[in-house]
Amino acid sequence: MKFIQQVKVVNADSIIFTDLLESVISEKESIQNIWFATDKHDPPPFSYQVNFPRLEIVISGMYRNQLDDPETGITEVDLCVGDALFIPPNSWNKPDWDTTCSVLSLLFGKRQLGFSLVSKNKGETQFYDVQKFSIAARTGHAVDGILSALNSLAGEPVKHPMDNHLLLALLTYSRSMAFASEANIKSRSEDTYQSICIYIQENFHRAITRDSIAARFNVSANHLSRLFRKQGHMRLSDYIIWVRLERAKFMLSKYPFRLHEVAVRCGFQDVNYFCRVFKIRTGKTPSEYRLSLK
């Protein structure tokens, strides 16, 4: 694939991703290793951790990650061409992004299936190619059973050869979903909206704003606000807060982090503001919420 030298997100069509999936599936014997992320140890700051499954496949170069090893703790692994990383819901990984690589990601959200292709050069601070595409999720179909099996397999001590079979099934089904979407009429605004929702769910812990999101997706800030009013059920700012508070609830229930650390990990730089917003939206302070779970 010929990459375009740019930093902004390109709203690609499904052809790019069906071709990539077709290539991976047809050369399935080239898949060397399948790694599984877990959540046995506390994630390091700025890890990627969301409530839906993800699959990452290295297309070129070397992709360095910190992962959770249930026995030895946090470890660093180098994923090479053909290696795959499956991240179950609420498990985490932390990419290094200081190597030259291209990574294909599949994100299995409740309402949409997202595809992204990210490319990076070693030593450069910015990505030179980011392409995204999403389609409406088909829940209740075979893909749910495949994902459930992979989620369970992540906790098993012996994964091979079942991991290869399940991965191939997941890629094949994802390809068919992407291919079927080519025949569906979907507005560009709906595609952009779904891509932005996935982006927020992945980057809630970062300092994202209306302006930064608009710049990343190459739209105006006013257009972004209109897009959320038209496509979504809440304003952009409310959606960002909702995603952050949902992750805060998860962290308060899962980890012994101090409130300041929970706030920072969820994208709130001011712990007092975090506590105030949490109280307004949930009716409880973060401490009260944590105590209510015991």
Side-chain angles (χ1 to χ4, degrees):
M1 173 171 291
K2 182 180 179 182
F3 294 117
I4 302 173
Q5 297 292 325
Q6 57 188 10
V7 179
K8 65 184 180 183
V9 168
V10 174
N11 289 315
D13 57 34
S14 62
I15 297 175
I16 292 173
F17 296 102
T18 51
D19 286 349
L20 273 174
L21 290 173
E22 184 68 42
S23 177
V24 173
I25 293 169
S26 63
E27 300 177 10
K28 54 183 179 295
E29 66 276 4
S30 67
I31 296 178
Q32 302 299 317
N33 300 290
I34 302 174
W35 302 84
F36 286 81
T38 60
D39 183 30
K40 301 299 183 183
H41 299 87
D42 295 351
F46 301 107
S47 302
Y48 286 102
Q49 185 182 37
V50 294
N51 61 358
F52 50 79
R54 296 175 286 138
L55 175 66
E56 300 187 344
I57 300 173
V58 183
I59 302 300
S60 66
M62 190 264 286
Y63 180 48
R64 181 167 294 151
N65 270 258
Q66 287 185 21
L67 297 176
D68 178 30
D69 187 308
E71 296 182 358
T72 63
I74 297 175
T75 185
E76 189 171 82
V77 299
D78 292 339
L79 284 73
C80 300
V81 176
D83 286 353
L85 170 62
F86 183 77
I87 307 104
N90 293 317
S91 294
W92 58 265
N93 68 305
K94 185 178 181 181
D96 181 82
W97 291 125
D98 193 30
T99 58
T100 298
C101 62
S102 293
V103 180
L104 171 66
S105 297
L106 283 72
L107 307 103
F108 300 90
K110 293 180 180 180
R111 298 180 58 187
Q112 66 266 348
L113 167 60
F115 300 87
S116 69
L117 180 65
V118 178
S119 300
K120 181 76 163 52
N121 278 332
K122 179 178 176 60
E124 295 184 357
T125 58
Q126 294 181 317
F127 301 99
Y128 71 82
D129 188 72
V130 181
Q131 301 192 52
K132 291 181 177 289
F133 174 73
S134 63
I135 58 178
R138 296 175 59 188
T139 57
H141 292 255
V143 67
D144 294 330
I146 299 170
L147 289 170
S148 178
L150 281 166
N151 293 337
S152 299
L153 190 63
E156 296 290 333
V158 178
K159 299 177 176 61
H160 190 77
M162 189 57 65
D163 52 358
N164 292 81
H165 300 321
L166 288 171
L167 179 64
L168 178 59
L170 183 63
L171 291 173
T172 303
Y173 201 91
S174 299
R175 179 195 57 183
S176 68
M177 293 174 68
F179 182 79
S181 73
E182 295 178 21
N184 296 332
I185 299 175
K186 185 172 69 170
S187 68
R188 180 181 177 86
S189 61
E190 181 182 352
D191 179 61
T192 302
Y193 169 75
Q194 292 182 356
S195 296
I196 291 171
C197 287
I198 292 176
Y199 174 76
I200 293 171
Q201 291 173 49
E202 288 186 289
N203 295 275
F204 62 89
H205 54 294
R206 303 185 185 280
I208 53 176
T209 63
R210 187 182 74 151
D211 289 341
S212 69
I213 295 172
R216 187 168 182 84
F217 284 84
N218 198 33
V219 298
S220 71
N222 288 335
H223 176 74
L224 181 58
S225 295
R226 289 194 299 270
L227 181 65
F228 262 75
R229 286 197 299 269
K230 179 180 178 180
Q231 297 287 340
H233 303 289
M234 61 183 76
R235 297 179 304 171
L236 171 66
S237 58
D238 290 331
Y239 182 76
I240 294 173
I241 290 176
W242 177 79
V243 171
R244 286 172 168 168
L245 290 183
E246 287 300 301
R247 299 310 298 172
K249 291 178 184 177
F250 172 78
M251 290 186 181
L252 289 167
S253 65
K254 178 76 174 179
Y255 307 114
F257 297 144
R258 296 177 180 272
L259 293 186
H260 173 74
E261 191 169 5
V262 172
V264 171
R265 284 172 177 262
C266 293
F268 296 96
Q269 299 304 312
D270 185 337
V271 66
N272 293 325
Y273 175 70
F274 162 64
C275 292
R276 185 165 64 251
V277 171
F278 195 99
K279 172 75 171 180
I280 292 172
R281 298 300 177 98
T282 69
K284 297 178 181 178
T285 66
S287 297
E288 291 171 344
Y289 179 83
R290 176 176 271 166
L291 287 173
S292 71
L293 301 175
K294 296 182 178 180

